[in-house]
Amino acid sequence: MSDTNLLEKLKTIVEPYVQNKEAFSTISEETDFINDLKINSANLIDVALDVEDEFDIMIENDDMDKMLTVKSSLEVIEQKLAEK
């Protein structure tokens, strides 16, 4: 799966939890879920669960802790997909 497709799927997953819609409109790999998009930590768990469902992967707690930015989330997803 291409990086663009991964990013688009991640954006779709994240969007319902975003509190800062203006920041979401300019989302990039450097976007921080908590500081930029104002997603709270409880909703970050929901994002991780949604990512698991969407990509049919298992995300460990250590990996979940890393998923604070778009880039780090894409890296975790790519790693898990490669392990399948």
Side-chain angles (χ1 to χ4, degrees), residues 52-75:
E52 285 183 332
D53 291 342
E54 176 67 32
F55 295 102
D56 192 28
I57 57 177
M58 287 294 301
I59 298 175
E60 308 302 327
N61 288 342
D62 290 345
D63 294 321
M64 205 178 295
D65 292 343
K66 296 177 197 170
M67 296 176 67
L68 299 177
T69 65
V70 171
K71 183 175 182 172
S72 61
S73 297
L74 291 173
E75 288 170 354

Side-chain angles (χ1 to χ4, degrees), residues 8-59:
E8 288 306 313
K9 283 189 175 196
L10 183 60
K11 283 171 62 175
T12 302
I13 291 167
V14 168
E15 187 171 17
Y17 305 104
V18 171
Q19 300 302 309
N20 184 345
K21 300 295 184 189
E22 186 177 324
F24 182 75
S25 68
T26 60
I27 196 168
S28 70
E29 285 193 351
E30 286 71 42
T31 301
D32 183 288
F33 292 137
I34 295 172
N35 296 321
D36 297 330
L37 301 181
K38 307 299 183 207
I39 298 174
N40 68 40
S41 55
N43 284 356
L44 278 180
I45 294 169
D46 293 330
V47 168
L49 294 173
D50 292 349
V51 165
E52 285 183 332
D53 291 342
E54 176 67 32
F55 295 102
D56 192 28
I57 57 177
M58 287 294 301
I59 298 175

